[in-house]
Amino acid sequence: MGLAVPVSGAAVRAGVLEAVLFGAHLLHYPTGVRQERPPVAARGARPPVLLLHGFSDNRSVFVVLRRALAADGLRQVEAYNYSPFTRDLRSAARHLARRVEELCERTGREQVDLVGHSLGGLVGRYYVQRLGGDARIRTLVTLGTPHSGTRVAPFMDAHPLVRQVRPDSEVMAELRSPAPGCRTRCVAFWSEFDELMDPTGTARLEHPDLQAENILVTGIGHLALAAHPAVTAAVRRALDGPGPSAVEPPSDTASVA
């Protein structure tokens, strides 16, 4: 299956859409700087969803996706800001682990779903794969996440967090290592026009021990993966899908239509 966004002059259209979304995101960015106050009472019949932003971003990137996921009232949707001064992905994953435990305790749920955009997806995967997070995360959805590392923007290698997402980093080596028995169902959305993925296919999640489905999104770029209606609808379907026990062995690429 696939997610196909109708395109004409695909690269140009994707670039224009990215520029528009970037401008809109700059306007919304200040609204997401502060950590949100989670609700005291649990809501929804489905597992809660925690949203995790990417590098140098904040929860404001999820304005559209959050509204779409919460629209039916069946799930509680929250967003978590990790520090903009984070210099170590593994440290961010440990902070995420504490946030997930707090969410489970507050809602009385044993498991939650996690949606990560860009670097946020990699933080979530590290937590699931290396810190025992598969006991808590039912489904991990990643949007434009460099699962195999990205070579884009070499001039930013001075930042230790950027160095950790290079293909030859220690963190990437850890994520390539065996993860037998990992219980989390993983769904990775990737785009052929994602300007931050080099190579583009690095946003595919391919690991022999993970229950992973890769969904190709055509005609949009990096920011649009967190906002395009076709993607938000597909993320909802992914979260409504079967639990890990019903997932088939790792699948090849699917597409969003």
Side-chain angles (χ1 to χ4, degrees):
M1 70 177 191
L3 181 57
V5 176
V7 293
S8 174
V12 174
R13 287 169 59 93
V16 171
L17 179 58
E18 283 294 287
V20 171
L21 288 174
F22 181 73
H25 187 38
L26 284 180
L27 292 176
H28 279 95
Y29 190 93
T31 67
V33 170
R34 290 188 177 184
Q35 196 76 261
E36 71 177 20
R37 289 187 176 182
V40 176
R43 300 189 303 270
R46 297 187 181 278
V49 179
L50 190 61
L51 307 175
L52 193 63
H53 62 80
F55 178 69
S56 73
D57 211 340
N58 63 42
R59 59 189 174 87
S60 64
V61 74
F62 293 119
V63 169
V64 175
L65 178 60
R66 183 174 191 162
R67 186 180 301 119
L69 293 181
D72 57 10
L74 295 178
R75 54 174 63 86
Q76 183 164 310
V77 183
E78 301 182 10
Y80 171 58
N81 281 356
Y82 55 90
S83 172
F85 303 108
T86 297
R87 297 170 61 85
D88 181 26
L89 185 147
R90 291 164 289 202
S91 175
R94 289 191 291 271
H95 284 288
L96 171 63
R98 290 194 285 272
R99 179 66 173 83
V100 169
E101 289 300 317
E102 184 274 332
L103 178 57
C104 287
E105 181 178 355
R106 178 163 41 83
T107 60
R109 304 299 292 253
E110 291 294 322
Q111 290 188 309
V112 304
D113 292 328
L114 183 63
V115 179
H117 180 238
S118 195
L119 181 67
L122 210 58
V123 172
R125 179 182 166 193
Y126 193 94
Y127 165 54
V128 163
Q129 206 177 315
R130 304 292 297 174
L131 301 179
D134 62 319
R136 289 298 196 190
I137 303 301
R138 185 189 69 139
T139 302
L140 170 65
V141 174
T142 65
L143 307 169
T145 289
H147 286 293
S148 300
T150 179
R151 295 189 293 265
V152 77
F155 58 87
M156 292 187 65
D157 276 351
H159 196 296
L161 193 55
V162 173
R163 291 198 299 270
Q164 289 184 334
V165 298
R166 298 306 188 202
D168 58 351
S169 74
E170 290 184 5
V171 168
M172 288 299 157
E174 287 186 65
L175 291 175
R176 286 192 296 269
S177 64
C182 185
R183 293 159 284 185
T184 297
R185 170 179 173 247
C186 302
V187 182
F189 289 82
W190 66 289
S191 169
E192 58 189 341
F193 294 124
D194 191 330
E195 66 278 8
L196 296 187
M197 300 298 110
D198 181 16
T200 304
T202 191
R204 291 169 50 93
L205 177 48
E206 298 175 324
H207 190 292
D209 294 330
L210 299 183
Q211 305 173 73
E213 178 184 6
N214 293 291
I215 299 181
L216 171 63
V217 184
T218 62
I220 64 175
H222 191 72
L223 274 176
L225 284 167
H228 196 284
V231 181
T232 59
V235 171
R236 280 187 60 179
R237 291 195 297 270
L239 297 181
D240 289 342
S245 61
V247 175
E248 297 297 325
S251 64
D252 200 352
T253 297
S255 304
V256 179

